[in-house]
Amino acid sequence: MNQLLVFVCDGAPVRGEFVSIGSAWQNIVALRKDPPAVQKVMGEFVAAATLLTASIKLDGTLMIQAQSKGPIQLLVVECTSQLEIRASVSLNPDFGEIPDNATLAELLDAEGSGRLAITLDPIDRKPSQTPYQGIVALKRPSSTHPGLDEPIETVSEAIMQYMQHSEQIDTRIWLTSSSQSLGGFLLQRMPDAGGASQYDPKMMAEGWERIQMLGSTITNEELLEVSPETLLRRLFLEESERFGVRSFPIRLVRFACRCSRERVADVIRMLGQEEVDSILAELGAVETRCDFCGMQYRFDAVDCKQTLTSSTLSDAVRPASKGH
């Protein structure tokens, strides 16, 4: 399954999404040999990115990027408005074995160094405009020690905090990940309809609380193994009419990478003649591997000369003689 299902409740101010990702996630995993804890966190970020992209209704690309001095040095997850996903992670070589039960805080916020950001890059953005970026806090006020902060331990909690502060929308999110599949479930309380609504504020508040409680009964195993349509039926098994549940057509999720020989040629041009000549003298060719899909690109001396002297990418790129 590689499916996302959106639903709304006419009888309560609630919008929700289920996502189940199988082969598209396996395409990402097959390229990597990450420790289980790292793989789990990356998978949950992939599920979260997919849910958020559909939730925010972005026409473009949503990127989740994390950097730290902890075990995870850099993590990047991207999802386009077409629900095309890709992900990459780089580990810090200074750390040894990573425990299987390592938390988000242990992987990303060692010594308070972690930085987590969500970037929205619209497809129609002008060159002079910068993408919108929201910083996600990796700490929250302590519930037991007023005035102090404590680390956020899970991806779900980090995403909920982002939605609360950046989008001002009450959000509950459940995420789970295995080596074979990903599962996610999102609930949002939408703004009350005011005088246009046939439901009074008390009923609306009770509906939001009730649906959150129902959502909490869904297990990780169900999210990983059961289709979104079946999960929706189970969620409102006895109360579908009360909440006026409507679902929208299933959307498909797929793995896709946007790397290309043209993009690599553009990077070579940015390096400049002197740097490229230095690489050619040492290695005989400029070679690179895409961190997202593993595609190998090789530019020999002739390729590099054409790239550096051309004015357009199409002029710079000739068919590769070997590899990609």
Side-chain angles (χ1 to χ4, degrees), residues 45 104 108 116 118 135-139 152-165 173 175:
F45 273 124
L104 178 69
L108 278 183
L116 181 63
I118 296 180
I135 304 301
V136 185
L138 290 174
K139 295 185 183 298
I152 289 178
E153 303 287 348
T154 67
V155 174
S156 296
E157 188 178 357
I159 298 299
M160 287 189 286
Q161 184 153 287
Y162 165 79
M163 293 300 292
Q164 180 66 46
H165 293 155
I173 189 167
L175 303 167

Side-chain angles (χ1 to χ4, degrees), residues 25-26 34 46 109 143 199 269 271:
W25 169 238
Q26 292 167 26
D34 299 311
V46 169
D109 201 31
S143 57
Y199 303 98
R269 187 179 293 107
L271 289 175

Side-chain angles (χ1 to χ4, degrees), residues 261-263 265 299 306-307 310 312-320:
R261 189 168 175 83
E262 289 82 0
R263 288 174 181 251
F299 283 66
Q306 289 184 337
T307 297
S310 65
T312 63
L313 287 178
S314 58
D315 292 337
V317 180
R318 66 177 172 86

Side-chain angles (χ1 to χ4, degrees), residues 243-261:
F243 291 117
V245 181
R246 291 186 293 118
S247 62
F248 297 89
I250 286 284
R251 296 184 63 190
L252 298 181
V253 183
R254 72 185 187 95
F255 169 75
C257 188
R258 298 187 301 281
C259 74
S260 66
R261 189 168 175 83

Side-chain angles (χ1 to χ4, degrees), residues 260-270 276 286 297-321 324:
S260 66
R261 189 168 175 83
E262 289 82 0
R263 288 174 181 251
V264 177
D266 201 24
V267 173
I268 290 174
R269 187 179 293 107
M270 292 170 61
V276 171
V286 177
Y297 295 94
R298 184 179 188 275
F299 283 66
D300 61 21
V302 175
D303 296 325
C304 291
K305 180 178 180 180
Q306 289 184 337
T307 297
L308 292 167
T309 58
S310 65
S311 58
T312 63
L313 287 178
S314 58
D315 292 337
V317 180
R318 66 177 172 86
S321 57
H324 297 86

Side-chain angles (χ1 to χ4, degrees), residues 18-300:
F18 283 103
V19 68
S20 177
I21 306 176
S23 60
W25 169 238
Q26 292 167 26
N27 286 337
I28 295 173
V29 171
L31 299 170
R32 317 193 54 83
K33 299 295 182 183
D34 299 311
V38 174
Q39 184 186 92
K40 178 179 184 297
V41 164
M42 182 169 69
E44 290 178 0
F45 273 124
V46 169
T50 310
L51 292 169
L52 290 182
T53 300
S55 169
I56 297 173
K57 299 179 182 178
L58 171 70
D59 186 11
T61 301
L62 181 145
M63 177 190 297
I64 299 178
Q65 185 172 17
Q67 293 177 291
S68 83
K69 296 179 182 178
I72 291 181
Q73 194 170 54
L74 176 66
L75 179 145
V76 180
V77 172
E78 294 183 5
C79 181
T80 71
S81 50
Q82 302 305 312
L83 302 188
E84 297 170 334
I85 59 172
R86 65 178 188 170
S88 175
V89 63
S90 299
L91 302 183
N92 193 326
D94 294 335
F95 282 79
E97 185 174 352
I98 299 174
D100 290 352
N101 62 349
T103 65
L104 178 69
E106 292 168 338
L107 292 172
L108 278 183
D109 201 31
E111 302 177 357
S113 65
R115 182 179 183 275
L116 181 63
I118 296 180
T119 302
L120 310 181
D121 191 5
I123 196 170
D124 58 354
R125 177 173 60 86
K126 298 178 181 178
S128 59
Q129 296 175 319
T130 58
Y132 168 79
Q133 185 176 82
I135 304 301
V136 185
L138 290 174
K139 295 185 183 298
R140 55 177 167 77
S142 174
S143 57
T144 55
H145 298 85
L148 298 178
D149 291 334
E150 57 189 19
I152 289 178
E153 303 287 348
T154 67
V155 174
S156 296
E157 188 178 357
I159 298 299
M160 287 189 286
Q161 184 153 287
Y162 165 79
M163 293 300 292
Q164 180 66 46
H165 293 155
S166 296
E167 303 294 328
Q168 286 81 51
I169 298 177
D170 288 336
T171 302
R172 291 290 307 278
I173 189 167
W174 293 263
L175 303 167
T176 188
S177 168
S178 73
S179 62
Q180 298 299 310
S181 60
L182 309 176
F185 175 34
L186 175 146
L187 288 174
Q188 291 180 328
R189 175 170 180 164
M190 306 308 294
D192 294 341
S197 174
Q198 60 179 310
Y199 303 98
D200 62 48
K202 181 179 179 181
M203 289 180 61
M204 300 289 272
E206 289 178 351
W208 168 240
E209 294 300 325
R210 175 61 178 165
I211 292 173
Q212 286 186 84
M213 186 179 70
L214 292 173
S216 298
T217 65
I218 294 177
T219 66
N220 286 342
E221 288 73 20
E222 288 177 305
L223 286 175
L224 290 173
E225 299 172 4
V226 181
S227 72
E229 290 178 309
T230 301
L231 286 172
L232 182 61
R233 288 196 297 270
R234 290 183 183 180
L235 181 65
F236 296 104
L237 185 62
E238 299 177 356
E239 302 186 76
S240 179
E241 291 187 7
R242 173 189 173 188
F243 291 117
V245 181
R246 291 186 293 118
S247 62
F248 297 89
I250 286 284
R251 296 184 63 190
L252 298 181
V253 183
R254 72 185 187 95
F255 169 75
C257 188
R258 298 187 301 281
C259 74
S260 66
R261 189 168 175 83
E262 289 82 0
R263 288 174 181 251
V264 177
D266 201 24
V267 173
I268 290 174
R269 187 179 293 107
M270 292 170 61
L271 289 175
Q273 185 76 57
E274 184 177 347
E275 181 68 18
V276 171
D277 286 346
S278 175
I279 296 173
L280 290 173
E282 180 180 356
L283 302 175
V286 177
E287 296 182 327
T288 186
R289 176 182 180 275
C290 177
D291 290 336
F292 290 100
C293 69
M295 185 74 77
Q296 298 279 352
Y297 295 94
R298 184 179 188 275
F299 283 66
D300 61 21

